[in-house]
Each structure stands twice: as C-alpha cells, then as structure tokens.
Amino acid sequence: MIDGAFARWLASRAGQVLLDLRTEMGFADAGALKSAGDKVSHDLIRTELAKWRPADSVLSEEDEGSRLAWAAEVNTGAVSRLTADRVWIIDPLDGTREFSEEGRSDWAVHVALWARNAPSPHGLVAGAVGLPAQDRVLGTDYPPAYPPMTVEAAAAGERKIRLAASRSRPPVFLTDLAEDVGAHLVPMGSAGAKIAAVVTGEVDAYIHAGGQYEWDSAAPVAVATATGLHASRIDGSALRYNEADPRLPDLLVCRQDLATRLLAALQRHSG
C-alpha cells in the first residue's frame, strides 16, 4: 500500500475505534473518555506502524518524551527520528475536549509522513485527517479539489472572510485583525477540524498563534498544500517538521488569493 493510502487507512481505522469507544463509554465521565480515547487510538496507530512500516520513526503526541526532545537534559543525538529518513508524525486524537462532548464532531485523527528528501520545505509527503464524527477522511492520496468560491464570495467581496478560530484559545489579536480585514470569526475545536474546514471551503482561513506542536498541524497541512492552499508561519516563513524542538507555535492556512492580504494584516496585529 502506498504511503498516502496507508495514512488514510490508519486514520480511518483509528477513527472507527474512537467512535466505538464513545458509544461504549458514553459522556458521563469526560476525563475518563479523553484518556481512553488518547490511549486506544495511539496504541492502534503505533501497532500498525510497527507492523507495516517497521523501519520508519514516529513522533506522536502520546509518546513519552515527545515534548522533552529539546530539553537540556535530553541528548538530541540519541533521538532516532532526527537522523531517520522517514518519520510518521501523528496525533491520535486532536481535539480531545470536543471528543468528550456529546454531539460535537470537530475532533480528528492526524497521520502524516515526513521524508528527508521531500521536494517541499515542510518535508511532508503524505497525510490524512480523519474526521470520524463527520464520516470523512481527507488525504493526500486523493487530494480534495481546491475549495470553490461560493456565489457570495464571487460577488466581489459582498461576503465577509470567514476565519476559523479556536473556541478555547483564540489569539488575542485575532478580533482586531478580523475587523481590519472585514472578517468574522467561526469558533471550532481541533486544529485538524479547522484546517479541514479551509480545505472544504466551509471557512476561508485559519490563523493560530497560541502555541502548538508539530503533530497538531502536520497531517492537515499535508492535505491543505496537496489541495493547493497556502500554508506558512504567520510571518510568511515556511513550516518545518521533524525539528529537534517539536514546538510549532503558529501558522496560517488560507486560500491562495487571501495569503498576501492576511500576512500583511498579521504584520500589523501580531507583533
């Protein structure tokens, strides 16, 4: 199975396990459901990667030590993924809070593959974003079509830009930026769900500057750029993955025709 199809298969398998878990446990104990969701999805993905891609390295949110790779007491020379040619970057359950809330569908499974010799600066060569509660998986093996302009958008700016924003941690400058560019905010959970909404045309852009890690954006960025969307840091520089320090605190994903306008606004408001 080629890597893109494998990523889609993994995201789909993990998503079904998470849906089954929600049904089995219910929503009375949110904390227990969150913990169980992280574990069951992580264990499944790690098991299948070990079985089908045993030579590859893995960077997962749920792996012990993932957040410590850059710490002074950790010898980065001993971190095998930094010398590997292929690294799977996964978030077994993105949007854990939303996963634990009955009726919410804005949570995701992220599976991405970084390769040392990839032609793009971000190094991502395959990826899939599972949206189990929406019954869909977006992947690089069959990239979605570039999001169509709606009738309203085509009517020369009569519709405001729609900016996906964190429902719990929106950047403090985002309200001012939205007023500046004539946008309105669309609160959502899960970075994967928000970038997926840009990919499908439900919103026009997603801006985040509140702190994230590589696993929060690798898979959705792989899908977004395969679709033809713009993806960068909020200063316009390239997103880079499989770094020694996996913190990747900010990003912009948007329609290509909005990138220059939004990056200019970010210069005015994010400083």
Side-chain angles (χ1 to χ4, degrees), residues 11-97:
S12 179
R13 285 279 317 277
Q16 187 57 56
V17 167
L18 288 165
L19 288 174
D20 292 344
L21 185 68
R22 268 182 139 191
T23 300
E24 176 186 338
M25 292 187 64
F27 300 90
D29 188 339
L33 183 58
K34 291 177 187 177
S35 298
D38 279 331
K39 184 177 188 314
V40 71
S41 183
H42 174 77
D43 288 350
L44 182 148
I45 294 172
R46 282 299 245 145
T47 297
E48 297 297 345
L49 284 172
K51 180 178 181 180
W52 298 108
R53 297 293 192 273
D56 295 348
S57 290
V58 178
L59 171 62
S60 169
E61 179 185 25
E62 300 304 321
D63 277 335
E64 185 177 359
S66 286
R67 292 183 175 84
L68 302 177
W70 66 90
E73 64 269 25
V74 173
N75 176 9
T76 56
V79 179
S80 61
R81 66 177 177 82
L82 298 178
T83 56
D85 289 332
R86 289 161 51 95
V87 179
W88 293 90
I89 302 175
I90 62 174
D91 188 344
L93 176 51
D94 182 60
T96 311
R97 172 180 169 183

Side-chain angles (χ1 to χ4, degrees), residues 31 34 72 82 91 95 103 108 119 138 140 142 144 174 185-186 191 195 200 205 246 260:
K34 291 177 187 177
L82 298 178
D91 188 344
L138 306 178
T140 57
Y142 295 103
L174 203 54
L185 303 181
V186 182
I195 297 175
T200 59
T260 299

Side-chain angles (χ1 to χ4, degrees), residues 204-226:
D204 303 299
Y206 170 46
I207 296 170
H208 184 84
Q212 286 184 344
Y213 294 88
E214 292 183 9
W215 46 77
D216 291 311
S217 65
V221 162
V223 176
T225 53

